[in-house]
Amino acid sequence: MAGEGDSEPRKSFKLLGFLDVQSVPCARESVLYGSLGSLVVGLGHFLATSRVRRSCDFAVGGFISTMLGYWFYCRYNLAQQRIRQRMLKEGMKNRILFEGSYLDPEKNQTGNERSDS
């Protein structure tokens, strides 16, 4: 049936024998955008010059540059997201730790505490 195959682990797709596209973050999107970039660059160069071999060279260059460009962009955004998550996690831990104490920044201060400060 349709649901029987869901329990088995899916086979991973390895690019060039070592890059596991399913488990490495940003790898799948980078390969897809790289292939789209190679198609655009190669076809555009072919339509402009009608030189097949040179257009294939440009397509390979377009694939590499688009793939690497998106790889670095995606990894940079992923690193920023992880930093924000780490900061949020630390903030939530501090909120739980300091809630109700005199260190709580949201605790309302009375008139006596304001004059002491």
Side-chain angles (χ1 to χ4, degrees):
M1 309 266 190
E4 291 177 3
D6 295 341
S7 63
E8 296 178 13
R10 296 187 336 188
K11 280 191 169 183
S12 62
F13 175 70
K14 293 194 180 210
L15 185 66
L16 300 175
F18 64 91
L19 179 63
D20 189 9
V21 176
Q22 280 187 329
S23 64
V24 177
C26 301
R28 180 178 178 269
E29 291 85 6
S30 297
V31 171
L32 289 174
Y33 280 119
S35 61
L36 181 66
S38 72
L39 179 69
V40 168
V41 169
L43 188 62
H45 189 270
F46 177 74
L47 291 175
T49 62
S50 297
R51 296 175 67 189
V52 176
R53 183 172 170 86
R54 184 84 168 178
S55 297
C56 290
D57 294 341
F58 269 80
V60 170
F63 174 76
I64 292 170
S65 62
T66 306
M67 185 178 76
L68 287 178
Y70 188 75
W71 172 270
F72 288 124
Y73 170 75
C74 183
R75 293 298 287 208
Y76 177 74
N77 285 339
L78 186 64
Q80 281 185 333
Q81 181 183 9
R82 287 182 178 169
I83 290 170
R84 284 192 302 265
Q85 284 177 344
R86 197 175 313 129
M87 288 173 54
L88 184 62
K89 185 178 178 182
E90 185 71 24
M92 289 172 62
K93 185 177 83 173
N94 288 340
R95 168 71 185 231
I96 293 170
L97 184 66
F98 296 133
E99 189 173 23
S101 71
Y102 71 95
L103 296 173
D104 189 6
E106 293 184 6
K107 185 178 178 183
N108 293 332
Q109 294 181 345
T110 61
N112 295 337
E113 291 175 353
R114 287 188 194 148
S115 62
D116 292 340
S117 298

